[in-house]
mmCIF file of all heavy atoms in Angstrom:
data_model
loop_
_atom_site.group_PDB
_atom_site.id
_atom_site.type_symbol
_atom_site.label_atom_id
_atom_site.label_comp_id
_atom_site.label_asym_id
_atom_site.label_seq_id
_atom_site.Cartn_x
_atom_site.Cartn_y
_atom_site.Cartn_z
ATOM 1 N N ILE A 1 47.835 16.253 -31.419
ATOM 2 C CA ILE A 1 48.738 17.100 -32.208
ATOM 3 C C ILE A 1 49.716 17.929 -31.353
ATOM 4 O O ILE A 1 50.900 18.007 -31.698
ATOM 5 C CB ILE A 1 47.926 18.001 -33.180
ATOM 6 C CG1 ILE A 1 47.354 17.156 -34.331
ATOM 7 C CG2 ILE A 1 48.780 19.134 -33.733
ATOM 8 C CD1 ILE A 1 48.356 16.728 -35.401
ATOM 9 N N PRO A 2 49.291 18.550 -30.244
ATOM 10 C CA PRO A 2 50.295 19.276 -29.450
ATOM 11 C C PRO A 2 51.443 18.385 -28.957
ATOM 12 O O PRO A 2 52.603 18.817 -28.925
ATOM 13 C CB PRO A 2 49.482 19.842 -28.276
ATOM 14 C CG PRO A 2 48.092 19.956 -28.813
ATOM 15 C CD PRO A 2 47.921 18.796 -29.746
ATOM 16 N N ASP A 3 51.134 17.142 -28.597
ATOM 17 C CA ASP A 3 52.192 16.204 -28.196
ATOM 18 C C ASP A 3 53.127 15.929 -29.369
ATOM 19 O O ASP A 3 54.358 15.957 -29.237
ATOM 20 C CB ASP A 3 51.584 14.870 -27.726
ATOM 21 C CG ASP A 3 50.566 15.047 -26.610
ATOM 22 O OD1 ASP A 3 50.765 15.925 -25.749
ATOM 23 O OD2 ASP A 3 49.561 14.317 -26.606
ATOM 24 N N ALA A 4 52.521 15.647 -30.516
ATOM 25 C CA ALA A 4 53.315 15.334 -31.712
ATOM 26 C C ALA A 4 54.142 16.543 -32.160
ATOM 27 O O ALA A 4 55.263 16.391 -32.653
ATOM 28 C CB ALA A 4 52.393 14.868 -32.837
ATOM 29 N N ASP A 5 53.594 17.757 -31.980
ATOM 30 C CA ASP A 5 54.327 18.981 -32.326
ATOM 31 C C ASP A 5 55.650 19.066 -31.584
ATOM 32 O O ASP A 5 56.680 19.445 -32.153
ATOM 33 C CB ASP A 5 53.492 20.218 -31.951
ATOM 34 C CG ASP A 5 52.756 20.805 -33.148
ATOM 35 O OD1 ASP A 5 53.192 20.557 -34.292
ATOM 36 O OD2 ASP A 5 51.754 21.514 -32.935
ATOM 37 N N VAL A 6 55.628 18.727 -30.302
ATOM 38 C CA VAL A 6 56.841 18.798 -29.483
ATOM 39 C C VAL A 6 57.884 17.815 -30.023
ATOM 40 O O VAL A 6 59.068 18.139 -30.151
ATOM 41 C CB VAL A 6 56.510 18.525 -28.002
ATOM 42 C CG1 VAL A 6 57.789 18.409 -27.171
ATOM 43 C CG2 VAL A 6 55.611 19.629 -27.452
ATOM 44 N N VAL A 7 57.428 16.608 -30.388
ATOM 45 C CA VAL A 7 58.334 15.604 -30.952
ATOM 46 C C VAL A 7 58.951 16.112 -32.257
ATOM 47 O O VAL A 7 60.168 16.055 -32.450
ATOM 48 C CB VAL A 7 57.591 14.273 -31.190
ATOM 49 C CG1 VAL A 7 58.455 13.304 -31.989
ATOM 50 C CG2 VAL A 7 57.180 13.648 -29.858
ATOM 51 N N CYS A 8 58.122 16.621 -33.156
ATOM 52 C CA CYS A 8 58.620 17.094 -34.452
ATOM 53 C C CYS A 8 59.622 18.223 -34.271
ATOM 54 O O CYS A 8 60.674 18.244 -34.910
ATOM 55 C CB CYS A 8 57.458 17.560 -35.331
ATOM 56 S SG CYS A 8 56.391 16.213 -35.890
ATOM 57 N N ARG A 9 59.309 19.160 -33.393
ATOM 58 C CA ARG A 9 60.216 20.284 -33.198
ATOM 59 C C ARG A 9 61.528 19.828 -32.579
ATOM 60 O O ARG A 9 62.608 20.277 -32.969
ATOM 61 C CB ARG A 9 59.540 21.366 -32.356
ATOM 62 C CG ARG A 9 60.058 22.759 -32.682
ATOM 63 C CD ARG A 9 59.255 23.891 -32.118
ATOM 64 N NE ARG A 9 58.924 23.672 -30.720
ATOM 65 C CZ ARG A 9 57.677 23.452 -30.287
ATOM 66 N NH1 ARG A 9 56.663 23.431 -31.131
ATOM 67 N NH2 ARG A 9 57.453 23.271 -29.004
ATOM 68 N N GLN A 10 61.433 18.911 -31.601
ATOM 69 C CA GLN A 10 62.648 18.418 -30.951
ATOM 70 C C GLN A 10 63.569 17.726 -31.955
ATOM 71 O O GLN A 10 64.797 17.802 -31.853
ATOM 72 C CB GLN A 10 62.269 17.454 -29.819
ATOM 73 C CG GLN A 10 63.444 17.028 -28.966
ATOM 74 C CD GLN A 10 63.006 16.129 -27.805
ATOM 75 O OE1 GLN A 10 61.856 16.131 -27.404
ATOM 76 N NE2 GLN A 10 63.949 15.357 -27.285
ATOM 77 N N LEU A 11 62.992 17.057 -32.950
ATOM 78 C CA LEU A 11 63.785 16.346 -33.961
ATOM 79 C C LEU A 11 64.131 17.228 -35.162
ATOM 80 O O LEU A 11 64.665 16.744 -36.151
ATOM 81 C CB LEU A 11 63.011 15.105 -34.440
ATOM 82 C CG LEU A 11 62.825 14.004 -33.400
ATOM 83 C CD1 LEU A 11 61.893 12.929 -33.930
ATOM 84 C CD2 LEU A 11 64.174 13.402 -33.002
ATOM 85 N N ARG A 12 63.807 18.526 -35.085
ATOM 86 C CA ARG A 12 64.012 19.478 -36.188
ATOM 87 C C ARG A 12 63.314 19.003 -37.459
ATOM 88 O O ARG A 12 63.891 19.016 -38.552
ATOM 89 C CB ARG A 12 65.503 19.691 -36.458
ATOM 90 C CG ARG A 12 66.220 20.333 -35.269
ATOM 91 C CD ARG A 12 67.576 20.889 -35.691
ATOM 92 N NE ARG A 12 68.145 21.685 -34.611
ATOM 93 C CZ ARG A 12 68.907 21.199 -33.638
ATOM 94 N NH1 ARG A 12 69.167 19.902 -33.605
ATOM 95 N NH2 ARG A 12 69.394 21.989 -32.711
ATOM 96 N N CYS A 13 62.076 18.546 -37.289
ATOM 97 C CA CYS A 13 61.281 18.044 -38.410
ATOM 98 C C CYS A 13 60.064 18.931 -38.670
ATOM 99 O O CYS A 13 59.076 18.493 -39.256
ATOM 100 C CB CYS A 13 60.816 16.614 -38.128
ATOM 101 S SG CYS A 13 62.111 15.372 -38.332
ATOM 102 N N GLY A 14 60.117 20.184 -38.210
ATOM 103 C CA GLY A 14 58.996 21.086 -38.455
ATOM 104 C C GLY A 14 57.901 20.890 -37.425
ATOM 105 O O GLY A 14 58.169 20.715 -36.234
ATOM 106 N N HIS A 15 56.657 20.898 -37.897
ATOM 107 C CA HIS A 15 55.519 20.724 -36.992
ATOM 108 C C HIS A 15 54.791 19.435 -37.360
ATOM 109 O O HIS A 15 55.060 18.827 -38.386
ATOM 110 C CB HIS A 15 54.566 21.927 -37.078
ATOM 111 C CG HIS A 15 53.975 22.112 -38.431
ATOM 112 N ND1 HIS A 15 54.572 22.888 -39.410
ATOM 113 C CD2 HIS A 15 52.852 21.605 -39.011
ATOM 114 C CE1 HIS A 15 53.849 22.855 -40.516
ATOM 115 N NE2 HIS A 15 52.792 22.088 -40.300
ATOM 116 N N ALA A 16 53.848 19.046 -36.504
ATOM 117 C CA ALA A 16 53.116 17.796 -36.736
ATOM 118 C C ALA A 16 51.979 18.021 -37.727
ATOM 119 O O ALA A 16 51.241 18.994 -37.617
ATOM 120 C CB ALA A 16 52.566 17.266 -35.421
ATOM 121 N N VAL A 17 51.843 17.124 -38.696
ATOM 122 C CA VAL A 17 50.677 17.160 -39.578
ATOM 123 C C VAL A 17 49.698 16.035 -39.235
ATOM 124 O O VAL A 17 48.526 16.125 -39.555
ATOM 125 C CB VAL A 17 51.060 17.104 -41.083
ATOM 126 C CG1 VAL A 17 51.803 18.367 -41.480
ATOM 127 C CG2 VAL A 17 51.876 15.889 -41.432
ATOM 128 N N ARG A 18 50.175 14.989 -38.563
ATOM 129 C CA ARG A 18 49.283 13.935 -38.058
ATOM 130 C C ARG A 18 49.863 13.363 -36.771
ATOM 131 O O ARG A 18 51.072 13.407 -36.563
ATOM 132 C CB ARG A 18 49.130 12.791 -39.079
ATOM 133 C CG ARG A 18 48.336 13.160 -40.316
ATOM 134 C CD ARG A 18 47.664 11.934 -40.966
ATOM 135 N NE ARG A 18 48.598 10.919 -41.445
ATOM 136 C CZ ARG A 18 49.220 10.989 -42.630
ATOM 137 N NH1 ARG A 18 49.031 12.014 -43.427
ATOM 138 N NH2 ARG A 18 50.025 10.016 -43.005
ATOM 139 N N ALA A 19 48.996 12.821 -35.942
ATOM 140 C CA ALA A 19 49.431 12.167 -34.699
ATOM 141 C C ALA A 19 48.797 10.784 -34.634
ATOM 142 O O ALA A 19 47.876 10.541 -33.869
ATOM 143 C CB ALA A 19 49.026 13.010 -33.484
ATOM 144 N N PRO A 20 49.256 9.840 -35.474
ATOM 145 C CA PRO A 20 48.607 8.526 -35.556
ATOM 146 C C PRO A 20 48.759 7.722 -34.269
ATOM 147 O O PRO A 20 49.775 7.815 -33.576
ATOM 148 C CB PRO A 20 49.330 7.824 -36.715
ATOM 149 C CG PRO A 20 50.229 8.828 -37.326
ATOM 150 C CD PRO A 20 50.403 9.949 -36.373
ATOM 151 N N SER A 21 47.736 6.934 -33.967
ATOM 152 C CA SER A 21 47.767 6.084 -32.781
ATOM 153 C C SER A 21 47.679 4.617 -33.206
ATOM 154 O O SER A 21 47.829 4.292 -34.387
ATOM 155 C CB SER A 21 46.605 6.463 -31.857
ATOM 156 O OG SER A 21 45.383 6.365 -32.568
ATOM 157 N N SER A 22 47.452 3.738 -32.256
ATOM 158 C CA SER A 22 47.206 2.306 -32.518
ATOM 159 C C SER A 22 48.312 1.651 -33.344
ATOM 160 O O SER A 22 48.044 0.899 -34.278
ATOM 161 C CB SER A 22 45.861 2.115 -33.226
ATOM 162 O OG SER A 22 44.841 2.785 -32.517
ATOM 163 N N ALA A 23 49.561 1.971 -33.003
ATOM 164 C CA ALA A 23 50.725 1.339 -33.653
ATOM 165 C C ALA A 23 50.662 1.438 -35.177
ATOM 166 O O ALA A 23 50.905 0.464 -35.888
ATOM 167 C CB ALA A 23 50.861 -0.121 -33.210
ATOM 168 N N ALA A 24 50.346 2.636 -35.673
ATOM 169 C CA ALA A 24 50.255 2.857 -37.123
ATOM 170 C C ALA A 24 51.572 2.541 -37.838
ATOM 171 O O ALA A 24 51.572 2.200 -39.016
ATOM 172 C CB ALA A 24 49.848 4.308 -37.400
ATOM 173 N N PHE A 25 52.693 2.629 -37.139
ATOM 174 C CA PHE A 25 54.003 2.346 -37.744
ATOM 175 C C PHE A 25 54.582 1.038 -37.219
ATOM 176 O O PHE A 25 55.788 0.838 -37.213
ATOM 177 C CB PHE A 25 54.965 3.512 -37.477
ATOM 178 C CG PHE A 25 54.531 4.790 -38.130
ATOM 179 C CD1 PHE A 25 53.927 5.797 -37.391
ATOM 180 C CD2 PHE A 25 54.679 4.976 -39.501
ATOM 181 C CE1 PHE A 25 53.506 6.970 -37.993
ATOM 182 C CE2 PHE A 25 54.264 6.140 -40.115
ATOM 183 C CZ PHE A 25 53.671 7.135 -39.362
ATOM 184 N N GLY A 26 53.700 0.158 -36.784
ATOM 185 C CA GLY A 26 54.148 -1.125 -36.267
ATOM 186 C C GLY A 26 54.322 -1.087 -34.755
ATOM 187 O O GLY A 26 54.411 -0.010 -34.154
ATOM 188 N N ARG A 27 54.329 -2.257 -34.153
ATOM 189 C CA ARG A 27 54.468 -2.346 -32.701
ATOM 190 C C ARG A 27 55.924 -2.273 -32.312
ATOM 191 O O ARG A 27 56.771 -2.938 -32.910
ATOM 192 C CB ARG A 27 53.869 -3.662 -32.194
ATOM 193 C CG ARG A 27 52.391 -3.768 -32.491
ATOM 194 C CD ARG A 27 51.813 -5.062 -31.960
ATOM 195 N NE ARG A 27 50.393 -5.174 -32.331
ATOM 196 C CZ ARG A 27 49.533 -5.991 -31.748
ATOM 197 N NH1 ARG A 27 49.939 -6.797 -30.795
ATOM 198 N NH2 ARG A 27 48.279 -6.027 -32.132
ATOM 199 N N GLY A 28 56.198 -1.461 -31.295
ATOM 200 C CA GLY A 28 57.564 -1.340 -30.804
ATOM 201 C C GLY A 28 57.914 -2.452 -29.838
ATOM 202 O O GLY A 28 57.156 -3.401 -29.634
ATOM 203 N N HIS A 29 59.100 -2.323 -29.245
ATOM 204 C CA HIS A 29 59.589 -3.302 -28.273
ATOM 205 C C HIS A 29 60.038 -2.551 -27.038
ATOM 206 O O HIS A 29 60.143 -1.338 -27.044
ATOM 207 C CB HIS A 29 60.764 -4.097 -28.867
ATOM 208 C CG HIS A 29 60.412 -4.781 -30.155
ATOM 209 N ND1 HIS A 29 59.690 -5.951 -30.207
ATOM 210 C CD2 HIS A 29 60.669 -4.430 -31.437
ATOM 211 C CE1 HIS A 29 59.518 -6.298 -31.474
ATOM 212 N NE2 HIS A 29 60.101 -5.397 -32.239
ATOM 213 N N GLY A 30 60.325 -3.311 -25.999
ATOM 214 C CA GLY A 30 60.844 -2.683 -24.791
ATOM 215 C C GLY A 30 59.733 -2.087 -23.955
ATOM 216 O O GLY A 30 58.546 -2.287 -24.210
ATOM 217 N N PRO A 31 60.119 -1.307 -22.937
ATOM 218 C CA PRO A 31 59.125 -0.764 -22.015
ATOM 219 C C PRO A 31 58.277 0.332 -22.659
ATOM 220 O O PRO A 31 58.699 0.959 -23.620
ATOM 221 C CB PRO A 31 59.983 -0.183 -20.876
ATOM 222 C CG PRO A 31 61.296 0.133 -21.516
ATOM 223 C CD PRO A 31 61.502 -0.894 -22.585
ATOM 224 N N ILE A 32 57.085 0.524 -22.119
ATOM 225 C CA ILE A 32 56.258 1.675 -22.496
ATOM 226 C C ILE A 32 56.532 2.742 -21.443
ATOM 227 O O ILE A 32 56.196 2.584 -20.269
ATOM 228 C CB ILE A 32 54.777 1.269 -22.564
ATOM 229 C CG1 ILE A 32 54.594 0.270 -23.718
ATOM 230 C CG2 ILE A 32 53.904 2.502 -22.773
ATOM 231 C CD1 ILE A 32 53.276 -0.462 -23.720
ATOM 232 N N LEU A 33 57.213 3.813 -21.866
ATOM 233 C CA LEU A 33 57.811 4.742 -20.907
ATOM 234 C C LEU A 33 56.911 5.910 -20.537
ATOM 235 O O LEU A 33 57.145 6.580 -19.534
ATOM 236 C CB LEU A 33 59.137 5.279 -21.472
ATOM 237 C CG LEU A 33 60.223 4.218 -21.664
ATOM 238 C CD1 LEU A 33 61.406 4.800 -22.412
ATOM 239 C CD2 LEU A 33 60.680 3.664 -20.315
ATOM 240 N N ARG A 34 55.896 6.204 -21.360
ATOM 241 C CA ARG A 34 55.019 7.341 -21.083
ATOM 242 C C ARG A 34 53.588 6.965 -21.438
ATOM 243 O O ARG A 34 53.349 6.269 -22.427
ATOM 244 C CB ARG A 34 55.399 8.567 -21.929
ATOM 245 C CG ARG A 34 56.730 9.202 -21.607
ATOM 246 C CD ARG A 34 56.673 10.017 -20.324
ATOM 247 N NE ARG A 34 57.869 10.789 -20.115
ATOM 248 C CZ ARG A 34 59.031 10.292 -19.682
ATOM 249 N NH1 ARG A 34 59.144 8.997 -19.462
ATOM 250 N NH2 ARG A 34 60.068 11.077 -19.486
ATOM 251 N N ASP A 35 52.645 7.493 -20.642
ATOM 252 C CA ASP A 35 51.231 7.343 -20.946
ATOM 253 C C ASP A 35 50.546 8.662 -20.590
ATOM 254 O O ASP A 35 51.092 9.451 -19.807
ATOM 255 C CB ASP A 35 50.639 6.185 -20.127
ATOM 256 C CG ASP A 35 49.211 5.829 -20.562
ATOM 257 O OD1 ASP A 35 48.813 6.244 -21.667
ATOM 258 O OD2 ASP A 35 48.517 5.146 -19.799
ATOM 259 N N GLU A 36 49.372 8.891 -21.177
ATOM 260 C CA GLU A 36 48.601 10.102 -20.877
ATOM 261 C C GLU A 36 49.467 11.357 -21.018
ATOM 262 O O GLU A 36 49.450 12.258 -20.176
ATOM 263 C CB GLU A 36 48.018 10.046 -19.453
ATOM 264 C CG GLU A 36 47.090 8.862 -19.204
ATOM 265 C CD GLU A 36 45.740 8.973 -19.889
ATOM 266 O OE1 GLU A 36 45.447 10.033 -20.487
ATOM 267 O OE2 GLU A 36 44.969 7.991 -19.829
ATOM 268 N N VAL A 37 50.247 11.430 -22.119
ATOM 269 C CA VAL A 37 51.100 12.600 -22.352
ATOM 270 C C VAL A 37 50.196 13.813 -22.584
ATOM 271 O O VAL A 37 49.219 13.742 -23.331
ATOM 272 C CB VAL A 37 52.015 12.368 -23.570
ATOM 273 C CG1 VAL A 37 52.841 13.613 -23.882
ATOM 274 C CG2 VAL A 37 52.924 11.170 -23.317
ATOM 275 N N GLY A 38 50.540 14.924 -21.940
ATOM 276 C CA GLY A 38 49.687 16.114 -22.049
ATOM 277 C C GLY A 38 50.475 17.373 -22.346
ATOM 278 O O GLY A 38 50.438 18.339 -21.568
ATOM 279 N N CYS A 39 51.189 17.395 -23.465
ATOM 280 C CA CYS A 39 51.937 18.608 -23.842
ATOM 281 C C CYS A 39 50.962 19.726 -24.196
ATOM 282 O O CYS A 39 49.883 19.481 -24.734
ATOM 283 C CB CYS A 39 52.822 18.345 -25.060
ATOM 284 S SG CYS A 39 53.967 16.969 -24.927
ATOM 285 N N GLU A 40 51.389 20.961 -23.940
ATOM 286 C CA GLU A 40 50.622 22.104 -24.437
ATOM 287 C C GLU A 40 51.071 22.471 -25.848
ATOM 288 O O GLU A 40 50.356 23.157 -26.571
ATOM 289 C CB GLU A 40 50.780 23.297 -23.483
ATOM 290 C CG GLU A 40 50.056 23.052 -22.162
ATOM 291 C CD GLU A 40 50.240 24.198 -21.182
ATOM 292 O OE1 GLU A 40 50.634 25.308 -21.616
ATOM 293 O OE2 GLU A 40 49.989 23.980 -19.980
ATOM 294 N N GLY A 41 52.266 22.033 -26.232
ATOM 295 C CA GLY A 41 52.749 22.260 -27.595
ATOM 296 C C GLY A 41 53.955 23.165 -27.676
ATOM 297 O O GLY A 41 54.622 23.229 -28.699
ATOM 298 N N HIS A 42 54.249 23.896 -26.586
ATOM 299 C CA HIS A 42 55.379 24.839 -26.613
ATOM 300 C C HIS A 42 56.631 24.256 -25.962
ATOM 301 O O HIS A 42 57.700 24.860 -26.012
ATOM 302 C CB HIS A 42 54.998 26.135 -25.898
ATOM 303 C CG HIS A 42 54.561 25.902 -24.481
ATOM 304 N ND1 HIS A 42 55.446 25.589 -23.469
ATOM 305 C CD2 HIS A 42 53.321 25.886 -23.921
ATOM 306 C CE1 HIS A 42 54.775 25.409 -22.345
ATOM 307 N NE2 HIS A 42 53.475 25.573 -22.589
ATOM 308 N N GLU A 43 56.519 23.067 -25.358
ATOM 309 C CA GLU A 43 57.662 22.481 -24.641
ATOM 310 C C GLU A 43 58.810 22.172 -25.621
ATOM 311 O O GLU A 43 58.579 21.859 -26.774
ATOM 312 C CB GLU A 43 57.241 21.180 -23.931
ATOM 313 C CG GLU A 43 56.243 21.394 -22.809
ATOM 314 C CD GLU A 43 54.784 21.360 -23.258
ATOM 315 O OE1 GLU A 43 54.504 21.368 -24.480
ATOM 316 O OE2 GLU A 43 53.907 21.344 -22.381
ATOM 317 N N ARG A 44 60.017 22.250 -25.110
ATOM 318 C CA ARG A 44 61.173 22.014 -25.983
ATOM 319 C C ARG A 44 61.501 20.537 -26.102
ATOM 320 O O ARG A 44 62.106 20.107 -27.079
ATOM 321 C CB ARG A 44 62.390 22.783 -25.474
ATOM 322 C CG ARG A 44 62.154 24.290 -25.548
ATOM 323 C CD ARG A 44 63.418 25.110 -25.418
ATOM 324 N NE ARG A 44 64.549 24.569 -26.143
ATOM 325 C CZ ARG A 44 65.808 24.897 -25.862
ATOM 326 N NH1 ARG A 44 66.071 25.717 -24.877
ATOM 327 N NH2 ARG A 44 66.795 24.379 -26.573
ATOM 328 N N HIS A 45 61.146 19.745 -25.083
ATOM 329 C CA HIS A 45 61.434 18.312 -25.103
ATOM 330 C C HIS A 45 60.214 17.549 -24.638
ATOM 331 O O HIS A 45 59.471 18.018 -23.774
ATOM 332 C CB HIS A 45 62.614 17.980 -24.185
ATOM 333 C CG HIS A 45 63.880 18.664 -24.584
ATOM 334 N ND1 HIS A 45 64.385 19.761 -23.910
ATOM 335 C CD2 HIS A 45 64.723 18.424 -25.614
ATOM 336 C CE1 HIS A 45 65.497 20.153 -24.504
ATOM 337 N NE2 HIS A 45 65.725 19.365 -25.531
ATOM 338 N N LEU A 46 60.046 16.353 -25.176
ATOM 339 C CA LEU A 46 58.886 15.536 -24.820
ATOM 340 C C LEU A 46 58.848 15.240 -23.321
ATOM 341 O O LEU A 46 57.775 15.193 -22.719
ATOM 342 C CB LEU A 46 58.898 14.228 -25.633
ATOM 343 C CG LEU A 46 57.675 13.322 -25.463
ATOM 344 C CD1 LEU A 46 56.405 14.030 -25.931
ATOM 345 C CD2 LEU A 46 57.862 12.014 -26.222
ATOM 346 N N TRP A 47 60.040 15.063 -22.718
ATOM 347 C CA TRP A 47 60.046 14.697 -21.293
ATOM 348 C C TRP A 47 59.699 15.859 -20.378
ATOM 349 O O TRP A 47 59.555 15.676 -19.179
ATOM 350 C CB TRP A 47 61.369 14.046 -20.873
ATOM 351 C CG TRP A 47 62.579 14.557 -21.573
ATOM 352 C CD1 TRP A 47 63.360 15.607 -21.206
ATOM 353 C CD2 TRP A 47 63.156 14.022 -22.764
ATOM 354 N NE1 TRP A 47 64.380 15.766 -22.102
ATOM 355 C CE2 TRP A 47 64.286 14.802 -23.072
ATOM 356 C CE3 TRP A 47 62.818 12.947 -23.613
ATOM 357 C CZ2 TRP A 47 65.087 14.556 -24.191
ATOM 358 C CZ3 TRP A 47 63.616 12.710 -24.727
ATOM 359 C CH2 TRP A 47 64.736 13.503 -25.005
#
């Protein structure tokens, strides 16, 4: 959830209510750019 919170806030979508894994929204394409993401939740950008 803290990781997802940063994404939601960055996109101006409020806060995270779920952080689904295992390609819940289908499998993406291209490179996998991040692993073991460890946000504390207050960061302004995912990167």
Side-chain angles (χ1 to χ4, degrees):
I1 287 285
D3 305 324
D5 261 338
V6 172
V7 170
C8 291
R9 209 168 46 248
Q10 188 177 339
L11 293 172
R12 296 196 171 89
C13 284
H15 62 270
V17 294
R18 290 206 298 277
S21 56
S22 309
F25 296 102
R27 298 181 183 198
H29 304 282
I32 294 167
L33 296 172
R34 293 284 189 283
D35 189 17
E36 301 288 354
V37 176
C39 305
E40 290 178 17
H42 57 74
E43 294 89 349
R44 295 195 41 200
H45 299 104
L46 185 62
W47 34 89

